[in-house]
Amino acid sequence: MFFATTFVLVTALAWMGWQLVRQDRALAGQRLEERRENAADLAVAALQRHFSQLEGDLMRLSTAAAPQLREQASEYAAGLPEDSMLLIFRSNDLEGFPEHRLLFYPNISAAPAAWPRIFAAAEALEFQKQDYSKAVGALRPLARHTDPTVRAEAQARLGRNLWKSGQVAEALAAYDELARAGSTPVAGLPAELVAREARLLVFEKQKDGEAARREAAQLSSALRGGEWRINRAGYDFYLSEACRGMGLTSPEPAEALAASAAAEPMWEEWQALRRDESNIAGRRIFWHADRPVLLVWRGTPERLAVLALGRRYLESQWLEPLLPTLGRFDTRIALTDSDGRAVSGHLPNGSETQSVRLASSVQLPWTLHAVSVGGAATAGLAARRLIVTGLATLLLLVLAGTYFIGRAAAREVAVARLESDFVASVSHEFRTPITALRQLSELLASGRVESDEDRQEYYRALAQESERLHRLVEGLLTFGRLEAGAMPFRFEPLDAAEWLRSVVEEFQRDAGARGYRIEMLADGSPPRLRADRAALGCVIWNLLDNAVKYSPDCFTVWVELGRENRRVAIRVRDQGIGIPESEQKLIFRKFVRGAAAKTGGIRGAGVGLAMARQIANAHQGEIVVDSRPGEGSTFTVLLP
Ligand code: ADP
């Protein structure tokens, strides 16, 4: 019943604990979700605020007075990170701010026709006669023409013909001169660009690797720095030339590349829109390779202000300032476009919980994902750990308590059984002498015993039985006093040999009648003791009585007095039934009787050895047993 109750209790406790943990987890998840929702709303509101501010700025720029426009635009764009720019579109032209950030222009067409008339003679000499020196002669005066465009075209042709006629140094000098013409168009391209590429080719043909690389590096950095107004095809071609010159397979994309690429579709869209719309505004994401560009525009058919904002702008201007707020809610955010591509942040993985704000519902160009940092599993973990630890401790306590109570109960039951055995044994012990006394006294009282001799014999028997009864009662009283701790010991100096002999002789008188003989051996000088004569006598008597009781077949018992490790040793040895190893420790406990003693019906109450040990202990001594079943036992009393 007890264990079953405990089991039910433990199960109920465990079940309750589990429920508690589950509820707590659900609650923590709910709290987490609320925080995430809050964070998402805050982030959306912040982003919307940013957008309306941007649109206000664009509105201002698109309606600014023409003379101040460039100044205002430059000022506005100065703070933009390198991957972002402001574009101003006007009917046939577009401009990027800050200056030189736009790498190529969508409104520049292919090269216009050359100058056939003025260069006709020189070209005939160069291509038909292949007389390059004469061509050089014809071109020299043109290179000093008043029209800078003619000058640049002539310089380019001069360089080419000088090179073809083998005058390398002069050719390079001519190209240098051409480079100084800067952005003057040569065959529709800036003169400096044409000159640099020509010099690169000359160095390559001359196999002057060092100079070629230097030239290529300059060309590349000028292209990436947005030095020239060229179109996309020109930019790509000359950049690949520069790369080849530097021995690279593909160029590192310029920071402003994605934003520049965005200008192209934006320009075309505007050209289409301005025909039939008066108020032009919008926002969207443009992708170039794996770089997203946020396009926001506002304007009229006359002028459009466009912001092309790269990831850096988004992160440094909008998202980073949001981090402290998000941190307070243990949330991070990620932005994705309509195709689910990540514009910023990491998309949540399967195990993370998120709150979503769809692009369509919040009027943003992205869908916003708010993700709980750490996830629901770890939310409120500390509290749950505490609950689990508390419950585990409680369970442990209940189990330990059950164990100890169980053990105590088992002991109690065992003691109760021993006590009832004891009562039965003692009653039996008493019954035998009392029956004898009654029968003898009845016999004597009836006067049926005629001879004096028989009468004497009966009286002796009466005395013997009363003596036995007396011993029994005395023994029990001594045991009772010892148990109560109220045994009055009277220690006195004792001659061990003399005292032991008297005890043995007294016992011999009792046992001799049953046919037993006690042999006493004492060696060396008689040791002296300080002891309670009567109590110690009781110990020896008990040991002798046991030796006789448990020796049904051997009628001799040996008593030895000697020394062992500076102690007095009194050994009582028999060749009786012996004691199994497993019982040797237990027999010194009160009420414990050996199995053989119980089954063999040998009289006894199981208190003799317990009493003997207590008396020996009171003398600062001890009793040890050495025994083998079937061979006999030796009990040794060791005294100081
Ligand atoms: P009991 O009244 O049963 O003899 P004891 O305390 O004197 O009680 O002894 C305890 C048990 O020890 C005995 O029941 C017996 O099994 C065992 N025992 C004691 N002395 C001997 C011995 N000399 N030979 C064999 N068994 C012994």
Side-chain angles (χ1 to χ4, degrees):
M1 277 286 284
F2 177 66
F3 286 116
T5 314
T6 312
F7 177 74
V8 170
L9 190 75
V10 165
T11 316
L13 215 63
W15 183 79
M16 259 159 50
W18 185 65
Q19 289 292 331
L20 211 66
V21 167
R22 233 179 43 160
Q23 257 175 25
D24 188 74
R25 178 179 288 177
L27 212 69
Q30 222 169 16
R31 234 177 289 136
L32 208 70
E33 190 180 326
E34 274 166 27
R35 293 160 70 76
R36 213 169 49 225
E37 290 286 329
N38 274 342
D41 289 340
L42 282 174
V44 165
L47 293 177
Q48 280 170 340
R49 252 197 329 276
H50 284 306
F51 266 111
S52 51
Q53 192 185 341
L54 273 194
E55 277 161 352
D57 295 344
L58 290 174
M59 196 67 209
R60 229 169 359 89
L61 286 165
S62 64
T63 53
Q68 285 94 47
L69 177 62
R70 294 202 73 210
E71 196 186 323
Q72 279 186 19
S74 301
E75 200 178 306
Y76 185 81
L80 294 177
E82 277 171 48
D83 63 349
S84 309
M85 68 181 85
L86 169 68
L87 296 160
I88 302 287
F89 294 179
R90 270 164 306 194
S91 54
N92 280 322
D93 190 26
L94 83 160
E95 210 170 342
F97 297 91
E99 231 186 324
H100 295 312
R101 189 155 294 174
L102 186 57
L103 299 177
F104 36 81
Y105 292 72
N107 61 336
I108 290 179
S109 56
W115 296 71
R117 247 173 350 92
I118 211 165
F119 297 112
E123 270 174 12
L125 285 169
E126 182 184 353
F127 295 117
Q128 283 154 26
K129 304 239 168 74
Q130 283 163 11
D131 186 342
Y132 305 123
S133 347
K134 280 215 178 115
V136 168
L139 286 167
R140 288 257 190 237
L142 290 174
R144 288 189 293 277
H145 199 274
T146 47
D147 184 341
T149 317
V150 175
R151 254 198 332 263
E153 291 278 351
Q155 204 68 42
R157 286 171 170 75
L158 192 62
R160 191 170 66 216
N161 281 289
L162 283 167
W163 160 247
K164 282 181 181 169
S165 65
Q167 294 165 271
V168 179
E170 285 81 351
L172 286 173
Y175 285 136
D176 251 356
E177 182 64 35
L178 176 62
R180 277 194 279 281
S183 58
T184 312
V186 172
L189 288 163
E192 191 184 353
L193 173 64
V194 173
R196 291 215 175 281
E197 200 243 356
R199 280 169 63 87
L200 171 63
L201 290 176
V202 169
F203 288 132
E204 279 182 338
K205 293 246 170 66
Q206 289 292 102
K207 305 238 177 323
D208 185 348
E210 184 55 35
R213 259 194 302 283
R214 209 174 332 112
E215 199 63 49
Q218 273 179 24
L219 180 60
S220 154
S221 77
L223 281 166
R224 293 156 63 93
E227 208 106 311
W228 299 301
R229 275 181 89 94
I230 48 176
N231 63 14
R232 175 83 187 253
Y235 177 85
D236 287 343
F237 172 74
Y238 285 103
L239 193 62
S240 72
E241 286 285 288
C243 274
R244 196 202 58 229
M246 290 189 291
L248 298 172
T249 44
S250 65
E252 170 93 351
E255 280 294 338
L257 183 65
S260 299
E264 280 188 309
M266 200 62 244
W267 172 261
E268 267 151 39
E269 203 173 316
W270 184 61
Q271 294 297 347
L273 282 177
R274 60 194 287 236
R275 266 177 238 134
D276 36 42
E277 267 180 51
S278 57
N279 243 332
I280 303 168
R283 38 173 105 150
R284 73 178 152 93
I285 306 283
F286 170 83
W287 284 91
H288 181 264
D290 57 350
R291 286 177 183 232
V293 179
L294 168 64
L295 290 167
V296 189
W297 62 91
R298 207 102 217 249
T300 59
E302 284 71 48
R303 193 196 289 162
L304 187 72
V306 183
L307 270 168
L309 302 171
R311 209 176 244 155
R312 276 205 207 173
Y313 178 88
L314 202 63
E315 279 169 5
S316 66
Q317 306 294 310
W318 291 6
L319 301 181
E320 263 165 40
L322 262 179
L323 288 183
T325 315
L326 294 174
R328 259 190 291 122
F329 290 98
D330 294 322
T331 306
R332 66 178 179 83
I333 58 170
L335 302 174
T336 55
D337 69 356
S338 53
D339 299 331
R341 288 174 81 177
V343 174
S344 172
H346 300 289
L347 280 177
N349 60 34
S351 68
E352 286 175 313
T353 43
Q354 57 163 325
S355 299
V356 178
R357 297 286 179 276
L358 285 176
S360 51
S361 61
V362 290
Q363 274 88 47
L364 288 177
W366 323 279
T367 293
L368 183 138
H369 306 256
V371 187
S372 292
V373 178
T378 54
L381 199 66
R384 271 203 299 288
R385 245 186 224 152
L386 207 70
I387 294 175
V388 170
T389 317
L391 276 171
T393 317
L394 205 65
L395 280 180
L396 223 69
L397 280 176
V398 169
L399 288 176
T402 310
Y403 169 75
F404 285 115
I405 291 173
R407 211 172 68 156
R411 276 198 186 158
E412 206 59 35
V413 168
V415 168
R417 202 173 40 230
L418 284 176
E419 274 173 354
S420 81
D421 282 359
F422 168 73
V423 171
S425 308
V426 168
S427 317
H428 186 72
E429 285 279 271
F430 276 102
R431 194 179 296 137
T432 322
I434 288 175
T435 312
L437 282 178
R438 211 180 60 203
Q439 284 174 348
L440 283 169
S441 46
E442 272 173 13
L443 201 64
L444 286 169
S446 68
R448 272 187 286 139
V449 186
E450 275 155 24
S451 78
D452 271 352
E453 247 169 73
D454 284 353
R455 213 171 294 132
Q456 282 306 315
E457 181 63 26
Y458 287 157
Y459 281 130
R460 230 188 346 268
L462 259 181
Q464 213 169 31
E465 288 305 326
S466 350
E467 173 65 23
R468 199 163 146 198
L469 211 54
H470 172 74
R471 271 192 189 285
L472 217 62
V473 173
E474 274 305 309
L476 286 175
L477 282 175
T478 309
F479 174 69
R481 278 192 218 108
L482 279 168
E483 279 294 291
M487 174 80 174
F489 285 106
R490 268 199 318 277
F491 294 100
E492 55 184 317
L494 220 63
D495 176 341
E498 179 267 327
W499 157 78
L500 188 61
R501 191 158 291 116
S502 73
V503 176
V504 168
E505 273 166 12
E506 198 184 341
F507 183 79
Q508 176 73 71
R509 273 200 294 283
D510 184 78
R514 285 178 273 157
Y516 284 89
R517 197 163 60 83
I518 318 296
E519 268 185 29
M520 183 173 157
L521 298 147
D523 60 351
S525 61
R528 295 196 65 78
L529 286 171
R530 238 191 96 72
D532 181 318
R533 177 181 277 273
L536 214 55
C538 177
V539 171
I540 303 301
W541 185 283
N542 261 311
L543 294 181
L544 285 168
D545 192 38
N546 277 349
V548 165
K549 266 196 315 192
Y550 300 109
S551 300
D553 302 321
C554 172
F555 292 87
T556 309
V557 170
W558 293 266
V559 179
E560 289 167 27
L561 174 66
R563 286 164 198 263
E564 198 176 297
N565 293 335
R566 310 193 57 204
R567 288 200 287 185
V568 176
I570 304 162
R571 287 190 198 86
V572 177
R573 183 159 58 84
D574 64 60
Q575 289 182 350
I577 59 175
I579 308 160
E581 179 91 33
S582 59
E583 286 183 357
Q584 287 181 10
K585 272 224 170 81
L586 301 175
I587 52 174
F588 289 97
R589 292 194 190 154
K590 62 182 177 186
F591 310 141
V592 174
R593 306 201 65 210
K598 281 193 275 188
T599 53
I602 300 171
R603 66 182 174 82
V607 294
L609 285 180
M611 205 160 70
R613 172 164 276 185
Q614 285 200 46
I615 294 171
N617 289 349
H619 284 77
Q620 268 84 49
E622 57 176 333
I623 302 183
V624 291
V625 62
D626 174 26
S627 176
R628 252 180 241 164
E631 290 180 19
S633 321
T634 305
F635 284 84
T636 310
V637 184
L638 293 163
L639 295 167

